[in-house]
Amino acid sequence: MKDLMNMNIDEYVDSHKEEIINTLLKLISLPSPDGGETAAQSYVENYLWELGFETETFRGSFDKCQELSDYCPADIVYHENCYNVAGKAKGSSHKPSLLLFAHIDTEREDYFGNFDNPYAAIRKDGKIHGLGASDDKGGVAMMLEAARIAKMFAGDFNYDLTILSILGKHGGAFGTLSALLKGYGADNCIYLHPAETGHGFAEIKNISLGIVDFDLETKGIKGAMHDDLDPGINANVVMIKLLNGLEEFNQQMRRDNIFDFGSFANQPSFILNIGSIHSEGGYGEVNASCKAKIRCRFFKPYGIDDIKELINQKIKETAVNEGYEDLYELRTGNFKATPAMVASDDEFIMLIKDAISCKTGIKDFIHQYHGGSDIRFPIIYGGSKCVGIGPSCILPVASSNKQEWIDENDYLNGVKIVADILLRLNKEE
């Protein structure tokens, strides 16, 4: 093997790509479905410890998180041994600190369909397949390998470097939010997650939309039995009227709220979608209940409380006008998120872009927003600059009988990019 001093990062990664790919294959082979991530996290903890990082494991701080606007109650049950993993390398100076983080929990084993072994990591046609490959073990493997390689070239870092392998993909405040409350923040942060849009490293996630979910239920009043002259009030009809009013509000808000920056300039910064409508009943039956799930995505100047008030006001106004004031109930759903952003021309983002360009040749970047991305937590609760980047991947729809995958060369480029960023930040000013 060539002397390390005579090699650069690209040469090292290219000559050790099997070793680097094996780290991802190993992570995929270790089960970490929602609520059962212990084996994979144990591997990560040991990996960081062997690199010389001070490691800590911790569970979610739900009690502390409940006071924050972004707290979402966990919708899964975590095994008592499940935990987050943090590794920290203390720097030798007071230069701006850096946090790399990614989530290791995956969808459940049968989410995409039935496979003989969802944890069989398969390399085929330049892609790495397997449960969690793109969501988000690819991100975890990238930061582990990049830290290892950068440490080989740099020795000790002259800034504080923290690496977080977190849980909480669907688990509310178990992961990133709890980590921030424990003090695992930094001046600059990178969320490593393959780009589910297919844009790969051309996509820079620097905006996180706000989100508020709502559950709307309408009630019906049955008329006299078998009397068409007294049909009562059908809960389905009430729902249709209220949703029509809400859609008028949606269209008006989309006209009035437009992004004026980034790749999405001139696009609406307000999005309201009806996720599902459900009721039961046969032909001609006057339904007593109808339920709808509503998600509102938005950006500044609105906050979570603003959106709650606006939606409540609009539905109440429509209900009063239609005479249905006592026939509905609106509740806030489980998920909510505060909008957050780092300016597209921030010097930290420009450094990341330059590193990506040097390794991939990409020059034109898409400044992508992502609904409720974890980049919001360090920005809001850590006062950090946080951006999300990641390689190309495919995340199939549920029950598709297709496996998720990550592009092999993009993954290797990702290791080069992150290692390069670590070394650039380590240079003396």
Side-chain angles (χ1 to χ4, degrees), residues 2 22 69 103 118 142 147 150 158 205 238-239 306 359 369 372 414:
K2 292 175 64 177
N22 281 338
S69 59
H103 74 76
M142 273 196 308
N158 57 21
K205 291 180 184 175
V238 179
M239 180 65 75
D306 299 320
K359 303 304 177 188
Y369 62 74

Side-chain angles (χ1 to χ4, degrees), residues 33-50:
D34 272 340
E37 299 85 356
T38 306
Q41 286 291 64
S42 178
Y43 174 84
V44 172
E45 181 187 8
N46 187 64
Y47 192 106
L48 291 172
W49 182 82
E50 289 185 349

Side-chain angles (χ1 to χ4, degrees), residues 95 154 158-159 420-429:
K95 294 181 68 173
N158 57 21
Y159 56 88
D420 186 33
I421 293 169
L422 294 177
L423 293 180
R424 286 178 185 230
L425 293 174
N426 208 50
K427 290 180 179 178
E428 295 292 344
E429 296 179 353

Side-chain angles (χ1 to χ4, degrees), residues 37-38 41 45 48 54-62 64-65 78-88 99 101-102 162-168 173-185:
E37 299 85 356
T38 306
Q41 286 291 64
E45 181 187 8
L48 291 172
E54 296 180 7
T55 61
E56 180 185 13
T57 62
F58 60 96
R59 287 175 61 82
S61 304
F62 292 112
K64 294 182 180 179
C65 291
Y78 287 98
H79 187 276
E80 62 181 7
N81 292 326
C82 288
Y83 51 78
N84 302 288
V85 175
K88 189 164 186 175
L99 166 67
F101 68 112
T162 302
I163 293 179
L164 281 176
S165 177
I166 53 96
L167 311 181
F174 199 97
T176 312
L177 186 54
S178 287
L180 265 293
L181 291 184
K182 282 187 66 67
Y184 283 112

